[in-house]
Amino acid sequence: MSRSLATALGTTAVLMWALLALFTAASGDVPPFQLAALTFTIGTAIGFIWLWAKGRFHELRQPLSVWVFGTVGLFGYHALYFTALRNAPPVEAGLIAYLWPLLIVVFSALLPGEKLRWYHLVGALLGLSGTVLIVTRGESLSFDARYTLGYVAALGCALTWSSYSVLSRRLASVPTGIVAGYCLTTAIGAAIAHLLFETTVWPADGGEWLAVLGLGLMPVGAAFYVWDIGVKRGDIQLLGVTSYAAPLLSTIILIAAGYGVLTPQIAIAALLITGGAVLAARGGRFSRQRPGSKPASASSNASN
């Protein structure tokens, strides 16, 4: 698979994650860990059906370290995210947690064949600025020591997902089919956490069940499979920058669905995030086209 195709597939994960807030809002009062257990079960089914259709169940035979890596990445991220939201104001916690795209760009410089360019970093910072406007709605932030546990959990959330994404490049030889196993162990972990900490609340009607199904099929299902392809074989720095489009697109979708209103802050955020993504993409293309520079596909193949 070419680097550009893998990057394009990885970008579709960002598009699917933009639907996360809408489907979650439409799923009713289902507790977070119960919702995670339900949706990751659906995500597991997607992978298992694909493995069965292709006759590739052998892809699940991986070392224990690979299983632990994937489980910590998916379940660890969600567990820390729920902990952050329960122990800190959602605006501050969400903003800290959404440092992961910037961290992906920075951490990717440690990978073989990758270098941190100025346009990647500036693009990521522009995206972060746009996300700050969306999350805070142009208002000031206030961090209170009483919510330290939540802030730490949110930072752990950002570190977990960025580390998972970057280190996946080191596991490029591991087939994407293993993500079905990651979803399975995450579903089991979420179910255990639900039984320990939550009261069961089932979706109230068909619409809420459809929202749960939508979550499992896309943001908490197919998205993880295409993201795995993207970070293993695509332009991981560009994927990190474009990930800031998720909160913007999510906000636009919520507005279109009647869950919010368009504000000047959102318009400015759109310009910042779009500008950051364009800068990173065009900067990378210019760098690859300079006389004497090696094609990106060559450096990618060398790193894989």
Side-chain angles (χ1 to χ4, degrees), residues 213-231:
L213 179 62
L215 280 169
L217 290 176
M218 288 185 283
V220 191
F224 291 115
Y225 295 92
V226 292
W227 183 252
D228 185 78
I229 295 172
V231 295

Side-chain angles (χ1 to χ4, degrees), residues 108-248:
S108 64
L110 302 175
L111 291 171
E114 300 287 354
K115 291 183 179 180
L116 181 59
R117 307 289 188 180
W118 69 267
Y119 44 80
H120 289 131
L121 187 57
V122 174
L125 290 174
L126 286 172
L128 178 60
S129 300
T131 301
V132 170
L133 275 178
I134 292 173
V135 174
T136 64
R137 300 178 182 178
E139 299 177 0
S140 61
L141 288 170
S142 60
F143 293 95
D144 192 321
R146 292 177 297 170
Y147 305 122
T148 299
L149 174 61
Y151 299 150
V152 171
L155 181 58
C157 175
L159 288 168
T160 297
W161 189 248
S162 57
S163 299
Y164 167 82
S165 298
V166 172
L167 291 175
S168 289
R169 180 65 68 93
R170 291 284 193 175
L171 299 177
S173 61
V174 177
T176 293
I178 190 60
V179 176
Y182 299 166
C183 289
L184 175 61
T185 54
T186 300
I188 293 172
I192 294 172
H194 165 64
L195 294 174
L196 290 175
F197 305 118
E198 297 175 339
T199 300
T200 300
V201 178
W202 295 105
D205 53 35
E208 292 185 1
W209 275 110
L210 283 175
V212 172
L213 179 62
L215 280 169
L217 290 176
M218 288 185 283
V220 191
F224 291 115
Y225 295 92
V226 292
W227 183 252
D228 185 78
I229 295 172
V231 295
K232 284 180 177 177
R233 298 175 176 83
D235 187 334
I236 190 170
Q237 293 167 328
L238 181 57
L239 285 172
V241 174
T242 55
S243 293
Y244 277 118
L248 172 63

Side-chain angles (χ1 to χ4, degrees), residues 58-75:
H58 62 277
E59 293 184 2
L60 296 176
R61 297 195 207 104
Q62 301 296 333
L64 178 61
S65 58
V66 173
W67 282 83
V68 171
F69 168 78
T71 302
V72 170
L74 268 65
F75 177 72

